[in-house]
């Protein structure tokens, strides 16, 4: 039978060791893979590729069926972009699936019954990397949440639950504070959930949801969340299941897929033969299943479970009571390879189901909305106190547009500010018409020209729109 082409990258830090241990097992199990190795990460960054990838290797990734990537080290500081985020977003790998399962009593955990899959949105949120320093005091990260982006990941979570026979999908977001962006995520969740009557659904505000997850993970089944929450909480979930070294992940898109450990390159263990290769190995099994090698994935997973049951453990999961021998990365890989063909005796046997090919997500058609311009927020660089420049700006107006509000870091400071409010050098001036009357963009340009003429330092503007008569901007003054 012909071999299936895949791309691999051994990455940085512990990457090469855990990749070699994983490939040793795949090879011993007879996985029919044609391996194309590429180099990404630290070396590519040092060669001057700011995203950690030589553009020439995209074609290799694109022309193979899947990409198995070991962790890489992201250089600190400006000028570099995360390779992981670049690959996920460039290839449209919108769904990041992270199963966090406990292997008690063989691996110590306070949560013996834990079996949670985190489905993390992978393309937007705070990971768009659009950031600015706007004034000496102020920096900004743009957090983008779109309707199609939310719908794709939420539909994927429900489809995943249906395919895997899971009972419930929970959504975490912070819609009580970010009413527009997380509010949209929750709204789309409610709309999509209504179409899956055979799957339970529930919503938690992310802070209390996170506390419940850390305390009682058995309450959850599949959890879908925006990018940053999913990144943080999947590490929490992995660690409380036993170790971050145990969780692999699949990054799934319409045109490709990438498989990786959820942890990073753990540079302090590089070359030490200490790291647990299980996360990358389990990621490689998700990959085998994805490319149709389900039987090989099943064979390896059960051998891995048997090794865990045998008490052959790496340092991160070693425990005097339940472990039998402490092994290094390489020896752990060899032990799993030796166990091929054996099954676990106590832990649940795993059987991978043949994957259907990726079902393109069909997005709901939204009726066109009437969008009306009703004003503008102008952000300015000005040293507090407000009295230094208030006299000038209260006089600025154009047609029906008047100054109606000034805030500092979102807190109302005019009219009726409070003396205790701490201010930085970054103010927002809201110009709007009474009753949100529609205005033309010319009037906004006129306001900007007036401010400029007065020597007010304008940083940026945000237009205020009504969508079908509903404000598309936050109105709370405090
Ligand atoms: P990290 O590499 O995940 O390591 C943090 C700690 O987690 C380690 O010190 C170790 O804990 C434990 N750990 C992680 N992987 C392990 C394994 N396989 N076996 C045993 N223990 C393991 O996080 P970091 O130190 O914050 O990040 C290091 C670099 O990785 C950074 O450059 C970061 O940007 C990058 N990173 C890459 C990816 C990726 O490529 N997908 C993801 C995350 C981070 P103990 O110290 O307790 O032993």
């Amino acid at each position: 039978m012909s071999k299936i082409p895949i791309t691999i990258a051994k990455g940085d830090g512990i990457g090469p060791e855990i990749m070699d241990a994983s490939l040793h097992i795949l090879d011993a199990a007879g996985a029919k893979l044609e391996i194309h190795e590429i180099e990404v990460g630290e070396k590519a960054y040092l060669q001057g590729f700011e995203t950690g990838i030589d553009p020439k290797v995209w074609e290799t990734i694109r022309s193979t069926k899947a990409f198995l990537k070991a962790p890489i080290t992201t250089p600190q500081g400006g000028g570099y972009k995360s390779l992981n985020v670049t690959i996920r977003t460039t290839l449209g790998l919108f769904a990041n699936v992270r199963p966090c399962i406990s292997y008690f009593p063989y691996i110590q955990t306070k949560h013996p019954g834990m079996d949670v899959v985190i489905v993390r949105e992978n393309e937007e949120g705070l990971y768009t990397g659009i950031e600015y320093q706007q004034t000496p005091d102020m920096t900004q990260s743009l957090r983008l949440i779109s309707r199609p982006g939310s719908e794709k990941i939420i539909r994927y979570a429900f489809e995943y639950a249906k395919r895997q026979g899971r009972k419930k999908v929970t959504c975490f977001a912070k819609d009580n504070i970010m009413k527009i962006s997380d509010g949209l995520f929750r709204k789309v969740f409610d709309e999509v959930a209504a179409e899956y009557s055979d799957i339970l659904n529930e919503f938690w505000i992310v802070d209390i949801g996170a506390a419940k997850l850390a305390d009682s993970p058995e309450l959850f089944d599949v959890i879908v969340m925006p990018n940053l929450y999913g990144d943080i909480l999947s590490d929490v979930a992995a660690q409380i299941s036993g170790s971050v070294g145990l969780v692999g992940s699949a990054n799934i898109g319409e045109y490709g897929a990438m498989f990786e450990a959820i942890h990073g390159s753990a540079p302090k263990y590089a070359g030490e033969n200490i790291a647990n290769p299980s996360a990358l190995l389990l990621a490689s099994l998700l990959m085998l299943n994805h490319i149709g090698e389900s039987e090989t994935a099943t064979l390896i997973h059960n051998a891995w479970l048997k090794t865990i049951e045998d008490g052959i453990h790496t340092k991160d999961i070693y425990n005097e009571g339940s472990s039998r021998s402490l092994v290094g990365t390489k020896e752990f890989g060899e032990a799993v390879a030796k166990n091929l063909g054996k099954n676990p005796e106590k832990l649940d046997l795993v059987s991978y189901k043949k994957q259907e090919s990726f079902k393109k997500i069909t997005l709901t058609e939204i009726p066109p909305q009437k969008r009306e311009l009703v004003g503008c927020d102008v952000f300015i660089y000005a040293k507090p106190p407000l009295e230094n420049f208030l006299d000038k700006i209260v006089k600025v107006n154009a047609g029906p547009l008047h100054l109606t509000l000034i805030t500092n870091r979102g807190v109302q400071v005019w009219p009726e500010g409070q003396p205790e409010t701490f201010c930085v050098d970054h103010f927002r001036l809201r110009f709007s018409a009474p009753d949100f009357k529609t205005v033309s963009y010319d009037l906004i340009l006129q306001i900007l020209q007036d401010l400029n003429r007065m020597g007010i330092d304008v940083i940026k503007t945000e237009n205020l729109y009504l969508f079908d008569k509903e404000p598309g901007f936050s109105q709370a003054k405090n």
Side-chain angles (χ1 to χ4, degrees):
M1 205 183 135
S2 63
K3 292 184 170 181
I4 301 167
I6 61 155
T7 302
I8 66 152
K10 293 194 174 179
D12 304 317
I14 57 171
E17 299 156 62
I18 59 173
M19 180 63 88
D20 287 345
S22 301
L23 291 180
H24 171 71
I25 300 164
L26 296 191
D27 189 42
K32 296 174 210 72
L33 300 175
E34 176 191 303
I35 293 175
H36 298 251
E37 185 173 348
I38 60 165
E39 201 156 83
V40 293
E42 238 172 356
K43 284 203 187 118
Y45 283 117
L46 292 175
Q47 282 168 32
F49 299 110
E50 63 165 12
T51 50
I53 181 166
D54 179 341
K56 285 192 214 121
V57 308
W58 281 115
E59 205 35 52
T60 308
I61 299 176
R62 209 170 273 126
S63 63
T64 52
K65 291 273 179 206
F67 180 20
L68 180 64
K69 188 187 71 60
I72 59 107
T73 303
T74 312
Q76 293 290 314
Y80 298 112
K81 281 185 79 178
S82 160
L83 167 74
N84 300 314
V85 175
T86 302
I87 293 174
R88 290 169 190 154
T89 51
T90 306
L91 298 180
L93 309 180
F94 66 93
N96 192 331
V97 182
R98 302 180 154 194
C100 304
I101 298 160
S102 104
Y103 305 96
F104 190 80
Y106 305 100
I107 297 177
Q108 292 312 300
T109 167
K110 293 179 183 132
H111 310 287
M114 180 169 181
D115 182 359
V116 177
V117 179
I118 291 182
V119 178
R120 163 189 172 191
E121 198 289 314
N122 228 8
E123 292 178 298
E124 43 186 58
L126 272 170
Y127 287 69
T128 52
I130 307 173
E131 291 197 299
Y132 305 96
Q133 176 160 6
Q134 297 178 325
T135 70
D137 283 349
M138 186 55 80
T139 58
Q140 183 194 31
S141 301
L142 213 53
R143 183 169 182 273
L144 298 176
I145 304 272
S146 71
R147 177 175 260 279
S150 304
E151 187 174 346
K152 272 198 301 180
I153 191 67
I154 291 164
R155 277 197 187 283
Y156 185 87
F158 277 95
E159 284 297 317
Y160 175 89
K162 197 164 114 183
R163 235 182 15 248
Q164 301 287 331
R166 289 186 171 260
K167 308 250 166 333
K168 184 169 76 173
V169 179
T170 304
C171 174
F172 284 1
K174 188 80 185 169
D175 66 320
N176 55 330
I177 299 295
M178 286 163 282
K179 295 182 166 71
I180 295 184
S181 53
D182 276 21
L184 174 66
F185 197 83
R186 179 178 185 167
K187 185 168 186 283
V188 174
F189 178 77
D190 290 341
E191 288 168 8
V192 173
E195 294 175 31
Y196 291 83
S197 52
D198 44 350
I199 297 174
L200 298 170
N201 70 82
E202 63 178 5
F203 176 86
W204 288 89
I205 290 175
V206 62
D207 37 5
I208 184 63
K212 288 276 181 204
L213 174 65
D215 183 60
S216 318
E218 61 283 356
L219 292 177
F220 299 99
D221 193 346
V222 174
I223 315 179
V224 63
M225 33 190 146
N227 208 335
L228 179 66
Y229 311 145
D231 190 6
I232 296 171
L233 291 179
S234 54
D235 267 30
V236 171
Q239 187 65 23
I240 64 170
S241 76
S243 167
V244 289
L246 289 172
V247 177
S249 71
N251 297 266
I252 305 288
E254 198 181 327
Y255 306 106
M258 175 171 76
F259 301 84
E260 56 183 344
I262 69 153
H263 60 72
S265 58
K268 72 177 182 188
Y269 293 142
E272 301 284 322
N273 194 36
I274 283 177
N276 189 342
S278 298
L280 188 65
L281 176 68
L282 294 177
S284 75
L285 304 188
L286 296 173
M287 176 194 75
L288 288 181
N289 195 37
H290 181 82
I291 62 177
E293 288 276 288
S294 310
E295 280 171 23
T296 314
T298 302
L299 177 77
I300 298 174
H301 203 133
N302 288 318
W304 177 80
L305 288 169
K306 175 78 170 93
T307 312
I308 295 296
E309 270 189 3
D310 287 348
I312 301 172
H313 292 168
T314 46
K315 182 172 161 279
D316 58 318
I317 53 172
Y318 187 83
N319 174 276
E320 284 295 339
S322 48
S323 304
R324 239 191 44 227
S325 62
L326 174 63
V327 291
T329 314
K330 186 163 181 274
E331 295 69 30
F332 182 83
E334 288 166 354
V336 176
K338 271 202 200 113
N339 273 339
L340 286 166
K342 295 187 188 155
N343 286 331
E345 281 153 32
K346 299 267 171 51
L347 291 169
D348 290 342
L349 206 65
V350 166
S351 173
Y352 283 84
K353 281 190 235 142
K354 278 248 181 291
Q355 286 270 98
E356 299 158 35
S357 53
F358 179 80
K359 229 169 85 197
K360 186 173 162 29
I361 304 239
T362 311
L363 298 174
T364 312
E365 268 200 38
I366 301 298
Q369 289 179 304
K370 187 169 179 214
R371 191 176 70 125
E372 294 166 89
L373 183 67
V374 296
C376 180
D377 279 352
V378 181
F379 291 78
I380 64 166
Y381 167 36
K383 286 217 151 68
L386 178 62
E387 290 67 34
N388 286 348
F389 56 95
L390 183 62
D391 282 359
K392 283 197 218 171
I393 57 173
V394 284
K395 294 189 195 114
V396 175
N397 60 66
L401 284 183
H402 285 260
L403 183 67
T404 53
L405 173 71
I406 304 176
T407 67
N408 193 288
R409 297 187 302 166
V411 182
Q412 181 175 343
V413 292
W414 181 91
E416 295 163 19
Q418 302 301 327
E420 294 84 3
T421 304
F422 179 74
C423 288
V424 299
D425 63 6
H426 184 267
F427 288 84
R428 173 178 63 151
L429 319 178
R430 173 158 292 179
F431 293 92
S432 55
D435 301 328
F436 293 135
K437 185 175 173 322
T438 310
V439 295
S440 78
Y441 193 65
D442 288 345
L443 295 179
I444 290 171
L445 293 175
Q446 199 178 312
I447 284 179
L448 294 177
Q449 276 170 353
D450 285 354
L451 289 168
N452 190 40
R453 209 172 299 120
M454 288 172 178
I456 300 290
D457 197 338
V458 172
I459 298 160
K460 68 159 201 166
T461 60
E462 285 289 346
N463 290 345
L464 308 179
Y465 294 107
L466 299 184
F467 287 86
D468 288 343
K469 301 285 177 207
E470 289 298 321
F473 47 91
S474 50
Q475 292 191 80
K477 293 179 179 173
N478 282 306

